[in-house]
Amino acid sequence: MKGCTSSEPAPVLRGTEVTTKILVAGHLSAGKTTLIGSVSQIRPVTTEETMTSAGADVDRTDLPGKTKTTVAMDFGRLHLNDNLVLYLFGAPGQPRFFPILQDLAHGALGVLLLADTRRLDDTYPILELIEDLGLPYAVAINRFDGAPEPTADRLREVMRLEATTPVVTCDARDRSSCRDALIALITHLLTLTPEPSR
Ligand SMILES: Nc1nc2c(ncn2[C@@H]2O[C@H](COP(=O)(O)OP(=O)(O)OP(=O)(O)O)[C@@H](O)[C@H]2O)c(=O)[nH]1
Ligand SMILES: [Mg+2]
């Protein structure tokens, strides 16, 4: 995969195998590491560290059962079909790691923005960052037990998304639904990519 900046996305070539970099972003504990682990066809690379009291001043400590967090990135690979291989880069979710998200965004064709409807407020700063980077994205709502289940249209309204921005639901633990979310993103990206000239 050739490197390029986020303002200069890698081209999608039809009819030949291409590899493409996709960023998986979202707030702390949205399920990014879980999603990449679910869909990756290689053993994913993770950089999770135990959350300790040393980070209490900067990290959220009110998430029951949350003991580990990604401190650099996740990485996985998914052969989506005969022609398209996705390199999935998971960004850390905490604001103090936003510069890492910005670095990981270089060369990405698009972003799967994972969110939990109980914590949409935590999603907005990341959404803003992605929009500032000029990257196209799809929103994937990771279903958590007991979380509100607004319609896609309602979410578009609340999150002030473009009418064309895909909004899908998934369960980060379920390979098939995560694959479908990535397909929704890729389908969206293809609508934005001009046909190569002949
Ligand atoms: N119920 C439920 N739990 C989930 C789901 N996805 C993830 N989890 C759990 O939520 C917790 C957080 O998931 P992670 O994948 O570590 O979240 P993350 O976005 O990578 O978190 P950070 O890297 O810390 O930002 C884990 O304990 C997962 O098992 C889901 O779809 N449903
Ligand atoms: Mg993680």
Side-chain angles (χ1 to χ4, degrees):
M1 185 171 49
K2 281 186 182 163
C4 63
T5 67
S6 55
S7 57
E8 191 187 323
V12 171
L13 303 176
R14 293 177 178 84
T16 180
E17 181 173 304
V18 284
T19 54
T20 270
K21 178 178 181 180
I22 296 294
L23 185 67
V24 178
H27 57 71
L28 176 70
S29 206
K32 305 171 293 292
T33 301
T34 306
L35 182 146
I36 290 177
S38 296
V39 293
S40 181
Q41 292 162 329
I42 57 169
R43 184 192 299 186
V45 177
T46 61
T47 59
E48 292 196 294
E49 293 295 338
T50 302
M51 297 171 83
T52 68
S53 55
D57 290 345
V58 283
D59 293 337
R60 282 187 68 155
T61 52
D62 59 337
L63 299 169
K66 181 77 176 163
T67 57
K68 292 194 162 196
T69 189
T70 299
V71 295
M73 60 178 275
D74 306 299
F75 176 75
R77 189 185 69 194
L78 171 62
H79 225 117
L80 203 55
N81 61 30
D82 288 345
N83 299 330
L84 187 58
V85 183
L86 305 186
Y87 286 159
L88 303 169
F89 287 75
Q94 305 179 60
R96 65 188 168 108
F97 293 134
F98 282 177
I100 297 179
L101 187 159
Q102 287 166 310
D103 284 346
L104 288 174
H106 285 290
L109 197 66
V111 184
L112 189 68
L113 177 60
L114 199 55
D116 172 351
T117 54
R118 296 168 301 181
R119 297 178 40 217
L120 285 182
D121 280 354
D122 293 338
T123 302
Y124 297 139
I126 299 170
L127 183 57
E128 213 173 288
L129 216 64
I130 291 166
E131 288 185 342
D132 286 350
L133 289 166
L135 282 172
Y137 59 90
V139 175
I141 299 298
N142 185 16
R143 268 186 246 107
F144 284 87
D145 295 340
E149 296 182 22
T151 63
D153 282 346
R154 178 68 185 137
L155 276 166
R156 266 197 206 90
E157 188 183 331
V158 171
M159 297 176 78
R160 299 188 180 177
L161 303 176
E162 299 277 342
T164 51
T165 302
V167 177
V168 296
T169 56
C170 67
D171 181 326
R173 300 162 299 179
D174 172 56
R175 179 172 191 272
S176 161
S177 73
C178 297
R179 199 170 170 276
D180 286 348
L182 287 163
I183 289 171
L185 170 64
I186 297 298
T187 306
H188 177 55
L189 297 181
L190 285 172
T191 67
L192 306 173
T193 310
E195 287 281 346
S197 52
R198 293 171 193 278

